[in-house]
Amino acid sequence: MNTLNNILEKFEFDGELISCKEFGSGHINKTYIAKYDNNGNEQKYVVQCVNGNVFKNIDELMENVFAVTSYLQDVIAQNGGDPDRETLHYIKTKAGDKYYTCDDGSFYRAYIFVKDSISYDTADTAELFGRSGEAFGKFQKMLGGFDSSRLYVTIPNFHNTIWRYENEFLPALSEDKAGRAKTCQAEIDFINSRKDDMSRIEELVKSGDIPLRVTHNDTKLNNVMFDERTNECVCVIDLDTVMPGVALFDFGDAIRFGANTAAEDEKDTSKVSLDLEYFRAYSKGFLKECGSTLNECEKNNLAFASILITLELAMRFLTDYLNGDEYFKTAYPEHNLVRARSQLALVSDMENKLDEMNRIINEI
Ligand code: ADP
Ligand code: GN1
Ligand code: MG
């Protein structure tokens, strides 16, 4: 059995290990921060155990992140930026591999901790949130010249909402293997009643009105690192789901998470709503950077996509609740149900604000 120290020893880290602690609030992977003393200088590394239940092909996943980060390093250097700090740097193992496989079959990979940076689970101001919009917009723009067909699809149908409904939600409901369907009938009914909305973006992709681009696919606020002192955005992280995808979902997922007046797993749904000031700030930042690369159809669907991705997340949380919590990490037995309820409350509020959201986008 590998110990954590033993796993750290497999990587090309500089200096002597001082400490290694679990860190972050991600729902899938396990993240550690390892501190090293390198001749009196502290050097931090991020070490992650990748969830093999979620990511079935670690080689393809790591190929994607190496391809995207090396491309970004060139673009950032050409633009006069600092490639060392503005993109992730993965560290190979001493054996020269992109990740290390433990005796028990689990996978570990490592990268340099972005120097003097911090991530946030909530933005204290709309301005800060707007900066993350710029960061994800810039990410989209910088990858504009990267051929998306070079990337592996690490999780098929990741943001194909209707596919998830038909192939994951409905089967989980009919199987009801954890015996929980009776405890969430209202949520099931809500999701069923929105079925017609679920194929809208997929159809626009099929008709060619919406192009596939290189997308991040998990644009939560805590996937952007900010400078500790200036609060400027430094680097977009968490590249495991970078794949060919729909740019609208990158926009919408960030809104879902960051423009919510409550946490993703708020139990008191009366606290959940879409903050239109935050929506405006993010839209401004995002469109400032990549507005000129999006087509009219994409722009017309930014607000709708925010609702759809929120519905999709609600459905994914509820599916996992019905399955007995196999996918997302949970802190207590009803956690996935609480997440689903709070996301559905956000869907309802966004539906009431759709016209206003579209008005804001048009204004910008
Ligand atoms: P997850 O897939 O579990 O969300 P992330 O890759 O987003 O994992 O990492 C979890 C947290 O760890 C991030 O929100 C961030 O705070 C921190 N983190 C990850 N990578 C880095 C990095 N290279 N530099 C600094 N902090 C990082
Ligand atoms: C998961 O790993 P993390 O916490 O950044 C999930 C996302 C969800 C998110 C909801 C691979 O992201 O799709 O939007 O939880 N990642 C995967 O918080 O399923
Ligand atoms: Mg993350």
Side-chain angles (χ1 to χ4, degrees):
M1 193 43 194
N2 289 102
T3 61
L4 192 54
N5 280 19
N6 173 246
I7 292 164
L8 297 178
E9 279 166 16
K10 307 294 177 194
F11 289 90
E12 286 282 4
F13 295 153
D14 295 326
E16 296 293 317
L17 179 66
I18 308 170
S19 65
C20 183
K21 288 202 184 84
E22 210 175 321
F23 182 80
S25 50
H27 297 344
I28 308 291
N29 297 328
K30 213 172 202 180
T31 304
Y32 301 89
I33 306 290
K35 285 186 191 166
Y36 282 73
D37 176 6
N38 188 18
N39 297 322
N41 296 318
E42 186 186 83
Q43 172 72 53
K44 289 197 274 187
Y45 298 97
V46 178
V47 179
Q48 275 181 331
C49 179
V50 181
N51 186 328
N53 179 37
V54 169
F55 297 103
K56 308 286 186 205
N57 190 327
I58 178 88
D59 286 302
E60 292 186 355
L61 184 152
M62 293 307 287
E63 285 292 327
N64 276 1
V65 291
F66 270 82
V68 165
T69 50
S70 23
Y71 182 88
L72 285 175
Q73 277 157 30
D74 290 346
V75 176
I76 291 164
Q78 277 161 23
N79 295 343
D82 175 2
D84 282 346
R85 205 158 168 250
E86 292 170 35
T87 187
L88 283 179
H89 284 264
Y90 286 79
I91 298 185
K92 289 193 176 167
T93 65
K94 288 175 181 160
D97 299 316
K98 294 187 172 81
Y99 61 92
Y100 174 70
T101 310
C102 292
D103 303 339
D104 65 2
S106 52
F107 309 115
Y108 282 77
R109 46 100 192 273
Y111 28 79
I112 296 175
F113 189 100
V114 178
K115 208 170 172 341
D116 303 325
S117 73
I118 184 168
S119 69
Y120 298 105
D121 285 326
T122 54
D124 279 345
T125 62
E127 196 213 338
L128 187 85
F129 186 50
R131 290 182 187 182
S132 75
E134 278 179 40
F136 280 118
K138 201 167 157 193
F139 183 82
Q140 174 60 242
K141 188 171 72 180
M142 286 193 296
L143 287 167
F146 187 103
D147 175 9
S148 72
S149 68
R150 274 180 60 199
L151 293 174
Y152 294 103
V153 176
T154 46
I155 304 181
N157 294 301
F158 193 58
H159 287 321
N160 183 341
T161 319
I162 188 68
W163 185 91
R164 284 196 180 267
Y165 175 75
E166 286 168 351
N167 297 280
E168 293 182 345
F169 176 71
L170 291 182
L173 182 57
S174 66
E175 204 182 339
D176 192 20
K177 66 181 170 200
R180 288 170 161 180
K182 57 183 177 298
T183 62
C184 52
Q185 196 52 52
E187 290 73 23
I188 294 167
D189 292 344
F190 187 114
I191 288 170
N192 282 329
S193 72
R194 301 306 191 275
K195 188 192 163 198
D196 288 349
D197 288 339
M198 292 183 195
S199 42
R200 181 153 141 196
I201 304 278
E202 217 23 55
E203 272 158 19
L204 290 169
V205 172
K206 280 194 195 130
S207 64
D209 292 300
I210 290 182
L212 287 184
R213 301 180 186 276
V214 179
T215 50
H216 184 282
N217 293 305
D218 186 5
T219 49
K220 297 203 290 199
L221 178 64
N222 57 22
N223 286 332
V224 178
M225 302 309 297
F226 290 82
D227 186 287
E228 237 170 28
R229 276 162 296 127
T230 63
N231 262 339
E232 296 289 340
C233 286
V234 182
C235 176
V236 166
I237 61 163
D238 203 346
L239 304 177
D240 294 340
T241 49
V242 171
M243 284 182 271
V246 173
L248 295 177
F249 290 131
D250 275 3
F251 173 85
D253 200 29
I255 296 298
R256 171 193 76 76
F257 189 80
N260 185 351
T261 51
E264 186 183 64
D265 60 352
E266 173 58 55
K267 287 184 180 156
D268 179 356
T269 52
S270 71
K271 292 185 180 159
V272 174
S273 67
L274 175 77
D275 186 318
L276 286 170
E277 195 202 337
Y278 276 54
F279 179 81
R280 180 188 291 277
Y282 190 93
S283 305
K284 232 178 173 168
F286 186 77
L287 291 170
K288 181 180 134 199
E289 289 295 336
C290 74
S292 60
T293 58
L294 302 181
N295 71 25
E296 279 310 302
C297 183
E298 288 177 294
K299 285 181 203 161
N300 292 338
N301 281 288
L302 285 164
F304 172 74
S306 310
I307 304 180
L308 186 59
I309 193 88
T310 308
L311 179 69
E312 181 182 292
L313 246 292
M315 182 167 71
R316 290 176 62 197
F317 286 139
L318 199 66
T319 302
D320 201 31
Y321 175 70
L322 291 167
N323 285 337
D325 309 322
E326 294 172 334
Y327 188 95
F328 296 104
K329 282 188 219 160
T330 50
Y332 53 91
E334 296 79 34
H335 203 168
N336 274 317
L337 176 59
V338 166
R339 287 171 175 149
R341 277 192 184 133
S342 114
Q343 295 298 291
L344 290 178
L346 186 58
V347 170
S348 292
D349 189 61
M350 284 173 155
E351 285 175 346
N352 293 331
K353 291 173 177 161
L354 179 62
D355 289 345
E356 186 59 18
M357 288 157 83
N358 275 321
R359 216 177 50 77
I360 291 171
I361 301 275
N362 281 334
E363 246 175 59
I364 295 170

